[in-house]
Amino acid sequence: MKKKLLILIVPFLLTGCAAVNYDLEINSDLEVEEIVSITGTTEYFNNFYKNLPITIVREFYEDEERMKPLKDNNYSYELVTENVNYPTLVARKKYTSLSEYTNNTIFKGQSFENIVTSVDGDLVTIQTVNFLPYLEDEDDARYSISNVDFTIKVPFVVTSNNADSYDPKTNTYTWTINEDTKEKQITLTFDKTRTYVYNLAMYISIFILCLLVAILIFVGVKMVKKNKVNNKIRG
């Protein structure tokens, strides 16, 4: 049976110009929050939505029938219109484990054929399988996804990855996939027993410096006390 095109993506794919930010945030208990932001590209809104009132877009997303897939699968969602260039749909869902996420996300099959996780001792690997540059609806119409930014944020030490960019402050890894990189697959492995600490070397240096200062202060105080005792004896 043909997979239905996810209804919430349709309005941004009418001209083949959708952009997707797909974010996974994993916490120390290996719980997962999935955050998906969908909007049109600059060309799409400049050419087609330039004069369309935001109320029309909002009414579309307040249509219960169109939002039914999200509601039925316990996603929260909102239409963001403030502090953004164009109206953006943001859908969220939390999972108690990585396996629950990979088995239940409704976005599997929308940008990638599959998203899988595997465990080898303390090492956990997240991988995508086959980027899907097109989606098909029930009438065999094809819609292209022009850009996907896929990010994974983890609180653990990452032992291997093939990300395009990395933010050391948040330990977030980002892959950008488009028409030129559609063969790219995503892979990231982390050690669930090793907590990531930003700029660990700096913290170690600060600790050593503080320890040296404390030792010097302690030695100085001892010497002052010793000198006072010696002075009393001489007096």
Side-chain angles (χ1 to χ4, degrees), residues 199-211:
N199 210 342
L200 181 60
M202 180 187 72
Y203 287 115
I204 292 175
S205 299
I206 292 174
F207 173 77
I208 293 175
L209 179 61
C210 291
L211 183 62

Side-chain angles (χ1 to χ4, degrees), residues 6 8 21-23 32-38 61 66-80 88-95 104-107:
L6 191 62
L8 63 93
N21 288 345
Y22 191 97
D23 305 323
V32 180
E33 182 174 15
E34 176 188 33
I35 307 169
V36 185
S37 304
I38 304 169
Y61 284 107
R66 295 181 183 277
M67 293 297 98
K68 193 174 186 298
L70 290 178
K71 290 182 178 179
D72 289 348
N73 289 276
N74 298 316
Y75 280 82
S76 63
Y77 62 92
E78 62 178 330
L79 182 66
V80 178
T88 301
L89 176 76
V90 180
R92 298 171 180 267
K93 186 175 180 180
K94 292 185 178 181
Y95 305 86
N104 293 282
T105 173
I106 64 173
F107 289 92

Side-chain angles (χ1 to χ4, degrees), residues 52-113:
L52 182 65
I54 187 59
T55 52
I56 297 178
V57 182
R58 182 178 289 110
E59 287 173 2
F60 180 92
Y61 284 107
E62 290 176 351
D63 186 315
E64 292 186 4
E65 183 62 27
R66 295 181 183 277
M67 293 297 98
K68 193 174 186 298
L70 290 178
K71 290 182 178 179
D72 289 348
N73 289 276
N74 298 316
Y75 280 82
S76 63
Y77 62 92
E78 62 178 330
L79 182 66
V80 178
T81 58
E82 296 182 359
N83 301 318
V84 293
N85 292 328
Y86 304 105
T88 301
L89 176 76
V90 180
R92 298 171 180 267
K93 186 175 180 180
K94 292 185 178 181
Y95 305 86
T96 59
S97 66
L98 282 165
S99 59
E100 182 186 11
Y101 156 69
T102 55
N103 290 331
N104 293 282
T105 173
I106 64 173
F107 289 92
K108 181 169 59 177
Q110 301 299 320
S111 296
F112 294 95
E113 185 177 302

Side-chain angles (χ1 to χ4, degrees), residues 3-15:
K3 182 185 292 294
K4 290 184 179 181
L5 177 66
L6 191 62
I7 195 68
L8 63 93
I9 301 180
V10 170
F12 294 134
L13 291 177
L14 294 177
T15 62

Side-chain angles (χ1 to χ4, degrees), residues 166-228:
Y166 165 59
D167 182 353
K169 291 184 179 180
T170 60
N171 203 32
T172 300
Y173 296 78
T174 302
W175 294 259
T176 298
I177 300 174
N178 52 40
E179 293 178 357
D180 298 325
T181 61
K182 61 185 178 182
E183 300 300 323
K184 183 186 299 182
Q185 303 301 320
I186 291 169
T187 180
L188 178 142
T189 300
F190 61 85
D191 187 333
K192 63 181 180 181
T193 65
R194 298 168 60 193
T195 301
Y196 175 79
V197 179
Y198 170 61
N199 210 342
L200 181 60
M202 180 187 72
Y203 287 115
I204 292 175
S205 299
I206 292 174
F207 173 77
I208 293 175
L209 179 61
C210 291
L211 183 62
L212 289 174
V213 170
I215 292 173
L216 290 174
I217 292 174
F218 176 77
V219 171
V221 170
K222 294 288 287 185
M223 291 182 64
V224 169
K225 288 183 178 180
K226 184 177 181 181
N227 288 336
K228 287 183 178 180

